[in-house]
Amino acid sequence: MNLSAIKGFRGAFLDFIDDPFYVSELESVRYFPDGLLVIENGIIQDFGDYAEMHSKYPNLSITHYRDRLILPGFIDTHIHFPQTEMIAAYGEQLLEWLHQYTFPTERKFKEKSYAKKIASFFLDELLRNGTTTALVFTTIFPESVDAFFEAAGDRNLRAIAGKVMMDCNAPDYLKDTAQSSYEETKALIQKWHKNGRLLYAVTPRFAATSSEKQLQLAGKLLAEFPDVYLHTHLSENVKEVEWIRELFPHSQNYLDVYDRAGLVGDRSIFAHGVQLSPAEFKRLSEANSAISFCPTSNLFLGSGLFKLQQAKSQETPIKVGLGTDVGAGTSFSLLQTANEGYKVSQLQGRKLSSFQALFLATLGGAKALNLEEKIGNFDVGKEADFIVVNLQATPLMALRNSGELPQTLAEIGDRTFALMMLGDDRAISATYILGDRAKIT
Ligand code: GUN
Ligand code: ZN
């Protein structure tokens, strides 16, 4: 074995090996107060308790993070890179917000150099917040897709994105046609899907901005390229749902508009789902599709309270990840997103534990993106994307989380709850991509 290619990280590690919405914490959470992670060429080779393992690796070069918690990198299952600069746009709900703020901003991304500049800022912001993988909306302009993938590739990130398809109910400057969106998407899939760690998602914006023909062609692309993803918005806002009913009178419900075009499958990720009916929950469960739960956005735009517990029920289990949905979302931090998710649950009389929230931000997100074989926890063979977290990053956090890292699950569960309520980018001490520390400019 060439030991020089191998490196080790020592510290407290927490990850998930099963879903804490369905099994006990003892069965789902893995916590090593003093653990060792062994990495070779960016891939996890070994993982466990330091005392039990270290004699196997006498010459290992080890980075020791004392008083830090090491977690798998966070996974953001829904975010828009071109909306970075228009985060915190005042006063409107979804449809007005799109016309007043979003569309004029996205117009700027026809210019590749501008798109590159914002893509670079955006990816640094993700990494600063401990997000190592994201499913990303671009704009209708292929230049913006290239800009995003080039910047993500430069950073060795596992990322998924796609060109937005929209051929109606939008300003002329932000419309493609059914045919041009088909052809451009096809070329972009051929260029970017499985290019290194990058993956492609066919991305109709939402049913309101696509003709039936465009949705059908999106379905044709999924049939032609069965391992690409489908990424869109679904049932976010009451006025939007009424509009979809008017636009597609022959569909049974919002999800059915996508279903008729062949867009509802096990590689489909739908953002929001705030207004879903029981029949739609059932269909999403049957199809093994995923929902991205975007609490900061759902609250900011006044969309409503996502029924997380229904999505994670025994009857209609659905894959769920967390989404920041920047720029309707108000933070790049999945910790702050979990914070708002907790409050959304409280408003429905339900609890969201820190373990459940951290599961959604890591292994749950990986499962939502069908990437659980590659990322999401510290299993041997997975890609070594991880973050080093300071539970005492601010004076208030240091007071609330005082003392050494605890030994028990109950105690670490309490500390991570304080982390998710009080933490943000300040709590992320370092972000590692394939075992290398990311340089954030
Ligand atoms: N629905 C259609 N487009 C968008 C968007 O850009 N953001 C959100 N939150 N919802 C949408
Ligand atoms: Zn969105």
Side-chain angles (χ1 to χ4, degrees), residues 293 305-309 341 343-350:
F293 173 30
L305 306 178
F306 175 63
K307 299 185 189 79
L308 177 62
Q309 271 71 22
K343 295 167 189 168
V344 166
S345 294
Q346 279 282 49
L347 281 165
Q348 299 173 88
R350 308 300 289 261

Side-chain angles (χ1 to χ4, degrees), residues 80 83 94 97-98 205-206 233 236 272 325 328:
H80 300 247
Q83 296 178 12
L94 176 63
W97 174 86
L98 282 174
R205 180 174 214 114
F206 70 145
H233 296 93
E236 178 175 1
H272 305 288
D325 193 29

Side-chain angles (χ1 to χ4, degrees), residues 246-299:
E246 287 165 23
L247 290 170
F248 298 90
H250 303 300
S251 287
Q252 286 169 25
N253 52 45
Y254 196 152
L255 183 64
D256 190 45
V257 177
Y258 295 137
D259 220 352
R260 285 168 182 242
L263 303 183
V264 181
D266 66 355
R267 301 181 76 78
S268 305
I269 297 96
F270 298 100
H272 305 288
V274 175
Q275 317 295 340
L276 290 173
S277 62
E280 289 168 298
F281 272 111
K282 186 159 175 278
R283 174 67 189 127
L284 287 169
S285 177
E286 274 166 12
N288 200 22
S289 299
I291 298 177
S292 177
F293 173 30
C294 306
T296 77
S297 167
N298 295 341
L299 296 174

